[in-house]
Amino acid sequence: MQIEKYKIDEANNQQAAAHQRKFDFVAEGVANLDEVMGKLAEFNIAIPSWALGTGGTRFGRFSGGGEPRSLEEKIEDIGVLHALNRSSGAISLHIPWDIPKDAKAIKALAAQHGLRFDAMNSNTFQDQANQPLSYKFGSLQHVDKNVRKQAVEHNIEVIKQGIELGSNALTVWLADGSSFPGQLNFRKAFENTYESLQEIYAAMPDDWKMYLEYKCYEPNFYSTTVADWGQSLLYVNKLGPKAYTLVDLGHHLPNANIEQIVSLLLMEGKLAGFHFNDSKYGDDDLTVGSINPYQLFLIFNELVEGMDARGMNHANDLGWMIDASHNVKDPIEDLLQSVEAIKIAYAQALLVDKKKLVQAQLNNDAALAQEVLQQAYRTDVRPLVAESRLRAGGALDPIGAFRDMQVRSNLIKERGEKTVATGL
Amino acid sequence: MQIEKYKIDEANNQQAAAHQRKFDFVAEGVANLDEVMGKLAEFNIAIPSWALGTGGTRFGRFSGGGEPRSLEEKIEDIGVLHALNRSSGAISLHIPWDIPKDAKAIKALAAQHGLRFDAMNSNTFQDQANQPLSYKFGSLQHVDKNVRKQAVEHNIEVIKQGIELGSNALTVWLADGSSFPGQLNFRKAFENTYESLQEIYAAMPDDWKMYLEYKCYEPNFYSTTVADWGQSLLYVNKLGPKAYTLVDLGHHLPNANIEQIVSLLLMEGKLAGFHFNDSKYGDDDLTVGSINPYQLFLIFNELVEGMDARGMNHANDLGWMIDASHNVKDPIEDLLQSVEAIKIAYAQALLVDKKKLVQAQLNNDAALAQEVLQQAYRTDVRPLVAESRLRAGGALDPIGAFRDMQVRSNLIKERGEKTVATGL
Amino acid sequence: MQIEKYKIDEANNQQAAAHQRKFDFVAEGVANLDEVMGKLAEFNIAIPSWALGTGGTRFGRFSGGGEPRSLEEKIEDIGVLHALNRSSGAISLHIPWDIPKDAKAIKALAAQHGLRFDAMNSNTFQDQANQPLSYKFGSLQHVDKNVRKQAVEHNIEVIKQGIELGSNALTVWLADGSSFPGQLNFRKAFENTYESLQEIYAAMPDDWKMYLEYKCYEPNFYSTTVADWGQSLLYVNKLGPKAYTLVDLGHHLPNANIEQIVSLLLMEGKLAGFHFNDSKYGDDDLTVGSINPYQLFLIFNELVEGMDARGMNHANDLGWMIDASHNVKDPIEDLLQSVEAIKIAYAQALLVDKKKLVQAQLNNDAALAQEVLQQAYRTDVRPLVAESRLRAGGALDPIGAFRDMQVRSNLIKERGEKTVATGL
Amino acid sequence: MQIEKYKIDEANNQQAAAHQRKFDFVAEGVANLDEVMGKLAEFNIAIPSWALGTGGTRFGRFSGGGEPRSLEEKIEDIGVLHALNRSSGAISLHIPWDIPKDAKAIKALAAQHGLRFDAMNSNTFQDQANQPLSYKFGSLQHVDKNVRKQAVEHNIEVIKQGIELGSNALTVWLADGSSFPGQLNFRKAFENTYESLQEIYAAMPDDWKMYLEYKCYEPNFYSTTVADWGQSLLYVNKLGPKAYTLVDLGHHLPNANIEQIVSLLLMEGKLAGFHFNDSKYGDDDLTVGSINPYQLFLIFNELVEGMDARGMNHANDLGWMIDASHNVKDPIEDLLQSVEAIKIAYAQALLVDKKKLVQAQLNNDAALAQEVLQQAYRTDVRPLVAESRLRAGGALDPIGAFRDMQVRSNLIKERGEKTVATGL
C-alpha cells in the first residue's frame, strides 16, 4: 500500500480556496512568517515501529484490522503517514520486536518512502523465548552479574543493528526497580545500573548518543531505578558527553512542571529529546495534545527559547519521537493527530513575541506575560501547519485524506482483519 | 473612580478596523453565529467582593496599591470591570467581610454601576472579633451544639442580608473537618452538619437556592466534612429541592475528571454552578484559563450539551462566579483575564458541531470526536467575544484599556499605596 | 497437594514456647481479650480464583512455576492457604476464567477443603474467543443495545452459576469508560449502564446482593462510567436495597481519604465490602499492608466503629476479598501476607479504647485521639492473630510452614515449571 | 517555667513496674540491644523556634493560650520539651522572627536548659517592616540585582548571628518561583539563584554547612526555583563541598518515593538532613508519624543502612529537625508526639536484621524482604524508647507528665491567654 501523489493533489485542490483564505488571514498577523514556515518545513517526528498496531492494557487488548505483520509493513505504514503529513520521515525501531533480517534491504525500502532510522530502542523489560536468563527482577540493575551481562550484550547488539541502518542513537528505557519495600537496595541498584550503562556507553561509536529515559513507576510499583529527571541526569553526567536525558511526557508524578525540567536539562546541555504523548492519570500514552494542549505549547515555548539561547538547530539537535498506545483509535489516525498536535504547538511557540515576553519578565508583569503567551496560543495556526504540509507535497487534511482514500480498508484487504502487530 | 464611556469608545475606534477584519474572518465560519452572539451577550459572571484585593498564602501577603477600603469601593471596582467587559454585572458578597451598613444605599450604588447581587457567602472558617465561640474545631459539624447554633444563626443572618439586597442564593463553604486521624467521628460530623444545614435550609425563602460547596482538603489536612461531589450530593439530596452542589474547579483531588462530575450533577438536576479558577497543584486559585484552558472548554462543552438537554437557560439557571486569589497580579487585571477566559471557553463550546459529535459517539469514533471538539477549541474565537463586548458598550481590549487609562494609578492616588482589602 | 495436619502441628510444637511467652505478654494488656479472640476466629477473607497465578502488567508477565492449571487446582491452592491460616475459607470465582464444568463436583471439592463460594465476578472487560460482539468500547454502557444485551446476559449467566455453587453475591466491575474527551456522552453512558444494571438486578434472587465496584481510571484513561464512590452510590441507590458499593483500596485518586468513604457508606447502609490490596501510585495491586499499613488500620477502625453502631456482624455482613496481582512474589506467599496484614489491622482496631476515643473527640483533643489510636496500632498484636490461628488448627507461622514444607516445589513437581494460570 | 526533675522522677516511679515488664519483654528479643540503646541515647532532634506557637493556614489562625512572647520564652518551652523527652536538645532559629538581642545571654540561657543552636534559618519569603525592597517576586532569583543583593546580605547576616550562637549550618529555603506560565524565565531564575547562593556560600566559615531545601510548590503555584531534589542537587554540586540537600518530608509531589531519594543523596554524600513532618495532601505540616508511620520507618531504614555504609555518625553527621505547623494541637504536645514518632522509627530501623535482608535481596526474595522489614516495624519498640528517656533523666510518658503537671495552664497563667508567637 502506497499513497499515490496525484490523489493527495486532487484532495488538496478541492480544499485549496478555503485553505488559501485561512492561510492569508493568519499569515498577515505573523511578523516572522518566513522563519515559522522554514522551521515547520524542517521539522520531523520519528514514528516508533511498535506504534502501528493497536495497543492494550493489562486488562486486555482489542486489535483493529489490517495491522502490519512485519517490519516491511510497518515501514509501509509510516510511508503512508509521511506521504500524508510530510513530517514523519523517520522510524524508531524496537529490538527484538523488529529485528531486520537484511539491513540493506530494509534501509533501501525505508529510503523509498523517504524515511531514515532514528534512535534504536532496546528491550530488557520482557523475556524473549529462548532467552537464558530472566529480567523478572531487573536487567541492568540485577543482583546477578550474568543477567546484567546478558542485558548489556543485548544493548550492544542493538547498537550494531543501528549502525547498519544508519541510526546514531540508542534509547535506553529500563523497567528496572522494585515492587516492595526492602526488595532491593537502592544504592546497589544504582551502582549496578551505572556500571552496566558504562559498558554500553563504551560500545557506542563516537558520533552516537545515548538517550536515558526516566519513569516514576510502572511496571514496578514501589521504586524505579531511573525514576525521575534528577536520577537520569545523575547517570548521564557520570557517563559522559554522549549521554543525555530523554523526557517522556507521561513519566512524571502528578502535577509535575515538565516545562521547567525541559528548560533546566537544556541549560545543562543534557536534554536528549522527547517521547511525546498525553495523559490524565499516569503513563496513559494517549494521543499527543488530546488532554492538555496548553502544556504541550508551554514545553515548546521552553524549547524554542532554550534552543535559541544555545544556538541549537530545532530540527536536528534533539530527538523527537512519539510514544503512545493506540488502544481505541486507528493507529495511523492517532499518529496523524499526534504529529499535527506537535506541529501546532511548535508553530504557536514560534509565534511568541519574545521581546515583549522578556520585557514583561523584567517587569515582573505576570498578567502581561500571560497575555503574550496566550496571544500566540490562541492564534489558530492550523493554516500555517497545513500550508507547510502543502508546500512539502503532503495533504491539507491528512485524516480526511486517509479516510477518503479508504486506506484502512485497503490494508485490511491486503493483510486481513485479524492481524496483530508486535508491541505492547 | 468610574470609567467614562467616551474613553472606551475612543480606544475602540482606534482598534475598530483591525477588529472588524478578524471578526469577519471568524464569523464567516460560524454556522450558528446569531445564537453564539446572543448567548455571549446574556452571559455574566459574578465577582466576589473579596477578589478586589491582593490575596496571600500562609507564608505571607504582598499587597498591591489602591485596594478598596470599603464595600462601596469594592462595588466601584466591579463597576470598572463591568464597564470594560460588560460581563461582570453581579457581585457576590462575603459576610462578615462586607456587611452593608445601609442595604438600600448599597443596592442603589450597585445599580448605578449596572450590578446586581448574586449568591451571598457566609463565613464560619474564621473567628471574628467579639465572637463568643470559636470555629477552631468546626462550625456546622461541631461537637458542641452551641457552636453549631452560632454558625447556623450566622448563616440565617446572611440570608437576611441577602434578601434586602435582592440576592436569592446562599453559598455555604465549610472548612469543617479534621487534621488528624481520630480527631472526629466522620459519621457524627456528617449528621451534625446535616442537621445544621436543615435549619439553615428551613430559613431560606422559597425562591432561594442553597449552593453547597465541596473541597477535598485545606484548611483541614486529614478529612473534610463536605469533601467531594458525592458527599455534597448526599447532603443536597437529603435537604430538598432548593439545595444544589457547587463546583469550585480547584477543590478536587489530583487528576479528577471535573467535566464528568458536571455532567452527572446536571443529569441529577443538582448542579448549582461554579466557582471558577485554575490550578496546577491544589486549590491554587489562579487566574481562570491560565493553566489548563482545554479543561475549561471541556467543562463548558458538558454545560452547553447538558443544559440544552434539560432546556435550561445558559445565562440564568446556574450560578457563575469567579473565586481566585490574586497574589502576584493586579486583581482587576486578573479578573479581566478570568472573565475573558470563561467567555472564550463558552464561545468555543457553542461552536461544537453537536450533530457530528453525536454521530461520532454513536460510531465509537474517538478520533473524529476529538477532531470535532478540537475544531471548535482551536478556532480563535476572541474576535467573537470582543464583538460581543463592543456591541454591549464595553472595550475591545479591556486590559489594554485598563492600562491606557491608568486606572490603577488613579486608584492609588485616590486610596493610597498601602491599603489592604478584607479577604484572604 | 494437601497439607497434612500433623505437619502443621509439628511446626507449631517447635514454636509453642516462644509463642506462648509473646501471647501471654500481649494478652495481659488486652481488656477485651475474649471479644478480640472471638472476632478473629470468625473472620474469613475470600480468595479470588485468579490470584493463584502470577500477575503481570501491560509490559509483560513473568510466570512462576507450579501455577494451577484448572479450577480444581485453584481450589487446591486455596485449600493450602486455608489449612495454613484458617482464615481463607472462601473462594471468589471469576467467570469466564473459571467456569465450573460440574458445579456439584466443584462444590464438593471446595467443601473438602473447608471452602465456600463467595461473590461471583463477571467479566466484560475482555473479549472471549467466539464472542459475537466486542467490548472494546464498553459493555453495559455501550451505544449499541446488542452489546449491552450480551453483557447483561453474561452477568445473568454468572448469577446462575453462582446459585448452583451456593454463592449469594455478584460483583460487577466495569472497565467501561472512554480514553478521549468527546468519545462518549457521560450522561448517556450513565443511563445505559443504569438500565443494564437494572436488568441484572432484576435477575438476582431475593437473597443476593449486587456489589458495584468503582474505579477512577484504567483501562480507560479519560473517564470511567463508575468512577468513584459517589457515582457507585448514585447507581445503587437507584437500583434498590440489594445493591451496594464495593470499595477496592487501589481504585481512588491520589490522597483520597478512603476511611471516610467507608464510614459514610456504612452510615448509608450501602457498603458492600472490600477488595483489599495496597498501592503507592495507582491500582498497583500490591500485597495488603505492604505500603501503608496505618491506612489499613484506620479503615478497620471505621469498620469496627461503624458496624457496631449499626449492629452488624463483623464476619458476615460485609464481603471481604483480596484483589491483588502477584507479579514478583509467590502468589500463595503473597496471599498469606495479605491475609495476615488484614487480620493484624482488624485486631489492632478491636483494641482501640473506644470510650477514651469518644471522650477525646468530644473534647476536640486531637493529640489524645491520636494517642488512643496509636496505642492500639503500635501494640504488637501478631501473637493474638497467631494464637487465633493456632486454636483453629492453622500454623503459627504460615509462611515459614509453607517454605519448610516445600509446598511450591511440590506443586512444580506435580504441575510443571511452565504452567500459566488464567487471569491478568 | 521550668520542669523540676523530682516531679519527673515521681511520675516515673509510679510507672516503673509496668514499664520494666514491657522493657524486659521486648529487650529479650533484641539481639543488638546495647547498640540500639546507645544510638537512641545519642539522638537529638532540633526544635525550630517558630514551632512553639499555634500555626495557621491562609484561611485563618486559631491561637492557643500561653504562647511564648519572646525568644527567651521559646527557649524555655524547648527546655520543657527537652526535660521531658531528653531528645530535643537543640534549637533552630528563624531570622528575623527570633533575632537575639544579646547573643551571649541567649547562649547562656540555652545552655541552662541543655540546649545548643542547630541550623540557622533565613527568611526571604516575607517582607519585613522597613525592608527597602520587596520579595513579592522572589529573592535570590529576582530579576533585580538589588533585591538579590538585599537577600544575600540577609543570609550573610544570619550566618553572623549563627556564629555568635555556636551554630554551624545555614538552612536556605526559598519560596522563589512563579505562579503563572511566562512569569519568569526558568533558566535565568536558576542562574540568578545560583549566583546568589555562591555569594552566601563564600561568606560561610569553613566548618559550616549550607542546607539547601527544595519544595515542589507553595507559596508559588506554577513553578518553584528549587523545586525538587534533582534541582537542589544540581545547585549543591555546583556550589561545592559545604553545600547539601535538605529533605522536608512534605515537599514532594504526590506518591514520591522519598526513601529512595534519601538513599541516593546519601550515596552522593550530599544529604544535609531532614525537616520532619507528615502529610496526606501537600505540605500539610502535620505531626510526624500521624499519617504514614511506615514511610517514616522506611526512610530510617535507608538512613541506618546508608550511614553505616559510609561510616557516618547517626547522631551528628546529619541535621535532624522538626518542621510542622501545630494548628489544632497544643504545640508542645505536638512536638512531643513528633519526637517520639521519630525515635520509634529510628529504633525500629535499628532492629532490622540486615544480614537476612541482604540475603533476601540477593535472592530476589521480595516476600522475605518484606517479612524482615515488618518484623522490625511490627515490634512494639516503645519500651526501648521510654527506657532510653528514663536513663537520660526524662519522663517515661512525656505527654502524660506534661498534662499531669499542668504545664500549659501554668504557661497561660504566666503569659496570658491571648499571646501569639511569631511564625506562620
Side-chain angles (χ1 to χ4, degrees), chain D residues 72-121:
Chain D
E72 286 76 6
E73 290 186 355
K74 290 179 183 182
I75 289 173
E76 211 174 62
D77 281 11
I78 300 176
V80 165
L81 266 169
H82 190 48
L84 290 169
N85 70 17
R86 306 312 302 166
S87 302
S88 309
I91 317 174
S92 189
L93 289 197
H94 189 288
I95 307 296
W97 292 338
D98 305 297
I99 302 177
K101 275 156 228 146
D102 177 346
K104 261 191 205 159
I106 285 292
K107 220 175 146 178
L109 178 67
Q112 274 177 35
H113 291 277
L115 310 176
R116 61 177 180 74
F117 287 88
D118 207 281
M120 303 292 291
N121 299 271

Side-chain angles (χ1 to χ4, degrees), chain B residues 137 182 185-187 190 222 224 228-229 231 238 257 259-260 263 267-268 302 305 309 361 364 369, chain C residues 137 142 182 185-187 190 222 224 228-229 231 238 257 259-260 263 267-268 302 305 309 361 364 369:
Chain B
F137 296 102
N185 181 301
F186 299 130
R187 187 179 66 253
F190 186 99
Y222 171 62
T224 302
D228 63 16
W229 77 278
Q231 291 176 42
K238 287 175 196 278
N257 186 324
E259 49 270 32
Q260 186 183 17
S263 170
M267 175 185 81
E268 293 295 297
E302 293 306 321
E305 196 273 347
Q361 289 168 345
N364 292 307
Chain C
F137 296 102
H142 204 284
N185 181 301
F186 298 129
R187 188 178 67 253
F190 186 99
Y222 172 60
T224 302
D228 63 16
W229 77 279
Q231 291 177 41
K238 288 174 196 277
N257 187 323
E259 50 270 32
Q260 186 183 17
S263 170
M267 175 184 81
E268 292 295 296
E302 294 306 321
E305 195 273 348
Q361 289 168 346
N364 292 308

Side-chain angles (χ1 to χ4, degrees), chain C residues 21 329 365 370 377 403, chain D residues 25 329 365 370 377 403:
Chain C
R21 175 182 161 268
K329 290 179 182 171
D365 188 343
Q370 178 175 317
Y377 177 70
R403 290 192 169 198
Chain D
F25 173 77
K329 290 180 182 170
D365 189 342
Q370 178 176 317
Y377 177 71
R403 292 193 168 197

Side-chain angles (χ1 to χ4, degrees), chain C residues 225-269:
Chain C
T225 298
V226 190
D228 63 16
W229 77 279
Q231 291 177 41
S232 174
L233 185 61
L234 210 52
Y235 286 106
V236 301
N237 273 337
K238 288 174 196 277
L239 284 168
K242 293 186 293 183
Y244 296 83
T245 293
L246 185 81
V247 177
D248 181 305
L249 300 187
H251 289 190
H252 301 83
L253 290 174
N255 309 333
N257 187 323
I258 302 174
E259 50 270 32
Q260 186 183 17
I261 293 171
V262 167
S263 170
L264 297 182
L265 285 172
L266 263 179
M267 175 184 81
E268 292 295 296

Side-chain angles (χ1 to χ4, degrees), chain C residues 32 50 63 78 85 175 253 339:
Chain C
N32 57 340
W50 66 86
S63 292
I78 301 176
N85 70 16
L253 290 174
V339 171

Side-chain angles (χ1 to χ4, degrees), chain C residues 3 5 8 12 40-47 52 77-90 113-115 322 331-344 384-402 405:
Chain C
I3 298 217
K5 181 72 172 63
I8 292 177
N12 287 349
L40 285 176
E42 281 178 347
F43 196 62
N44 267 274
I45 297 116
I47 305 298
L52 290 319
D77 281 12
I78 301 176
V80 165
L81 267 169
H82 191 48
L84 290 169
N85 70 16
R86 309 309 305 165
S87 301
S88 309
H113 291 277
L115 310 176
I322 288 169
I332 294 180
E333 293 191 2
D334 195 324
L335 289 163
L336 287 171
Q337 290 185 317
S338 282
V339 171
E340 181 78 1
I342 293 167
K343 295 201 83 173
I344 286 173
L384 302 180
V385 175
E387 175 72 16
S388 166
R389 239 182 345 251
L390 181 71
R391 294 183 187 176
L396 278 171
D397 173 10
I399 287 193
F402 178 82
M405 294 179 197

Side-chain angles (χ1 to χ4, degrees), chain A residues 45-159:
Chain A
I45 297 115
I47 306 298
S49 58
W50 66 87
L52 289 319
T54 308
T57 70
R58 64 175 166 137
F59 294 98
R61 183 172 170 183
F62 299 91
S63 292
E67 297 192 1
R69 296 159 298 179
S70 64
L71 179 51
E72 287 76 4
E73 289 185 357
K74 291 178 182 182
I75 290 173
E76 211 174 62
D77 281 11
I78 301 177
V80 165
L81 266 169
H82 191 48
L84 290 168
N85 70 16
R86 307 310 304 166
S87 301
S88 310
I91 317 173
S92 189
L93 288 196
H94 189 289
I95 306 296
W97 294 336
D98 305 297
I99 302 177
K101 275 156 230 146
D102 177 346
K104 261 191 205 160
I106 285 292
K107 218 174 149 180
L109 178 67
Q112 274 177 37
H113 291 277
L115 310 176
R116 63 178 180 75
F117 288 87
D118 208 280
M120 302 293 292
N121 300 271
S122 59
N123 174 339
T124 59
F125 54 89
Q126 289 180 332
D127 288 347
Q128 306 303 324
N130 308 320
Q131 178 182 309
L133 298 164
S134 171
Y135 297 133
K136 181 167 187 168
F137 296 102
S139 57
L140 301 187
Q141 75 165 20
H142 205 283
V143 289
D144 179 349
K145 174 80 189 164
N146 295 312
V147 179
R148 299 202 295 274
K149 193 160 175 274
Q150 174 182 292
V152 167
E153 281 166 5
H154 165 67
N155 273 277
I156 293 175
E157 178 60 29
V158 172
I159 295 169

